[in-house]
Amino acid sequence: MSKITGNEIIHQYLRHNKKFPHVLCAGCGHGIVLGTLIRSIHSLGIPKDDVVVVAGIGCSGRLAVYVDFNTVHTTHGRALSFATGIKISNPKLNVIALMGDGDALSIGGNHLIHAARRNIGVTALILNNNIYGMTGGQSSPATPEGSTTMTNPYGQLDSSFDTVELARGAGANYVARGTVFHVNRLEKIMTEAIGRPGFSLVEAITPCHTQFGRKNKYKSPVDMYNWLKSTAVPLERYNEMPEDKRRDRMPIGVFVDRDRPGFEERYYAMQQNFLKQAAKGGK
Ligand SMILES: Cc1ncc(C[n+]2csc(CCOP(=O)(O)OP(=O)(O)O)c2C)c(N)n1
Ligand code: SF4
């Protein structure tokens, strides 16, 4: 029997009849992220019915409607709140919150911090294209300082968030960054993240040529992929680079890998303890 290819695997997980053609622009990296997510779930052997993809609003949020998992297309910035409720009500589910950088870091920033602090057993997948894609290219908290956007035609004045440092500081169990150019690494990271207990965060850098690239130095999708190729450096190599060489380079890899129990585990342990005490006639 011939070996099943990555593309054939992806087709097993799509809602062919209802939701296509998709809305993404040619050259958009979001589809590559979805491919890695599907292959990761497939390689972990998780049944479709045990997966819940909770997405916010944005081009990234649209991905949830194409896949044949349990899916919820929620409100902008609130994917993690819905995901938290789902995970607590049924901890056996693999809950993946899929968000854009605007969704996760701007309107949903507070939810992100507290989901990481709580260490809820959800995988947060942030598709960082450095911009608000769906609504026409406004600056997001991930827009690099100095770059041009629809709302910053003379250059973004604020510095951009480091998503990895934010999640690490807030207490996430697992934090990693990859790019859609380095697709095998991204898939490996995603697989690890989904398999870990507690709160995992994967930042997937994905090009939006339409709203970001064209206003900056990347006139074509190919320019954007070349930018990812030349900018991203594996973390181990980045750590060995002298300070001046690190400028304009972006480390990719696994930044945090801890093994603390997730909130839902701690919550059920507390509940069991309470029930035991009550059965003994205590408080
Ligand atoms: C409460 C609320 N505010 C604003 C919007 C409008 N809105 C829809 S998508 C979006 C930005 C999407 O950007 P991002 O999350 O980065 O995702 P992308 O489209 O780039 O994948 C905004 C502001 C909304 N739908 N709801
Ligand atoms: S606007 Fe950007 S993020 Fe949205 S589909 Fe097009 S390339 Fe992708």
Side-chain angles (χ1 to χ4, degrees):
M1 204 169 71
S2 62
K3 200 169 171 287
I4 189 163
T5 66
N7 275 347
E8 284 164 344
I9 289 171
I10 289 172
H11 281 263
Q12 290 174 20
Y13 290 82
L14 298 178
R15 290 180 175 146
H16 292 269
N17 303 336
K18 290 187 192 158
K19 301 293 181 188
F20 286 84
H22 63 70
V23 298
L24 305 176
C25 309
C28 178
H30 284 6
I32 301 176
V33 180
L34 187 64
T36 60
L37 175 66
I38 288 173
R39 286 192 299 272
S40 297
I41 290 169
H42 182 82
S43 70
L44 287 164
I46 307 170
K48 281 187 202 177
D49 281 349
D50 291 353
V51 176
V52 186
V53 176
V54 186
I57 306 294
C59 300
S60 40
R62 288 293 299 174
L63 298 182
V65 307
Y66 302 121
V67 279
D68 189 23
F69 300 120
N70 300 292
T71 55
V72 198
H73 196 189
T74 67
T75 41
H76 191 51
R78 298 295 179 270
L80 280 168
S81 324
F82 285 84
T84 299
I86 293 166
K87 185 68 183 177
I88 291 181
S89 66
N90 188 351
K92 288 199 196 97
L93 294 171
N94 285 272
V95 183
I96 295 152
L98 194 156
M99 301 165 284
D101 48 296
D103 199 337
L105 304 175
S106 189
I107 186 169
N110 209 18
H111 294 284
L112 178 68
I113 294 167
H114 293 289
R117 177 172 76 90
R118 187 174 283 146
N119 199 29
I120 181 83
V122 165
T123 305
L125 172 54
I126 302 181
L127 290 90
N128 182 358
N129 57 10
N130 307 111
I131 202 87
Y132 285 176
M134 183 167 267
T135 43
Q138 299 91 342
S139 291
S140 89
T143 302
E145 194 174 342
S147 51
T148 306
T149 71
M150 197 256 277
T151 46
N152 287 93
Y154 306 111
Q156 166 72 22
L157 287 174
D158 301 332
S159 56
S160 63
F161 268 169
D162 184 327
T163 314
V164 163
E165 290 308 325
L166 187 75
R168 187 210 301 265
N173 245 6
Y174 181 91
V175 184
R177 179 190 290 129
T179 91
V180 296
F181 182 82
H182 308 82
V183 70
N184 292 335
R185 274 171 196 266
L186 184 62
E187 194 175 316
K188 187 169 174 289
I189 285 169
M190 205 100 77
T191 310
E192 278 183 0
I194 296 168
R196 287 290 187 280
F199 188 75
S200 306
L201 182 144
V202 175
E203 182 185 26
I205 310 292
T206 157
C208 174
H209 152 260
T210 307
Q211 301 296 2
F212 180 79
R214 286 197 294 202
K215 291 195 181 65
N216 292 285
K217 288 180 283 183
Y218 318 104
K219 302 299 172 205
S220 72
V222 173
D223 291 338
M224 293 230 71
Y225 286 90
N226 280 334
W227 164 69
L228 290 180
K229 183 181 173 187
S230 60
T231 308
V233 188
L235 181 61
E236 309 73 45
R237 190 140 62 82
Y238 182 87
N239 285 339
E240 285 165 6
M241 289 166 90
E243 197 68 40
D244 59 319
K245 292 264 183 313
R246 290 187 188 182
R247 215 169 299 132
D248 299 328
R249 306 306 291 273
M250 173 176 58
I252 55 171
V254 179
F255 295 77
V256 178
D257 192 358
R258 296 188 273 231
D259 199 20
R260 292 172 306 135
F263 175 80
E264 68 288 354
E265 237 178 283
R266 299 183 334 260
Y267 178 81
Y268 279 94
M270 187 177 77
Q271 196 184 48
Q272 290 307 314
N273 198 23
F274 176 81
L275 291 172
K276 228 187 281 170
Q277 297 297 331
K280 280 192 215 154
K283 290 199 271 182

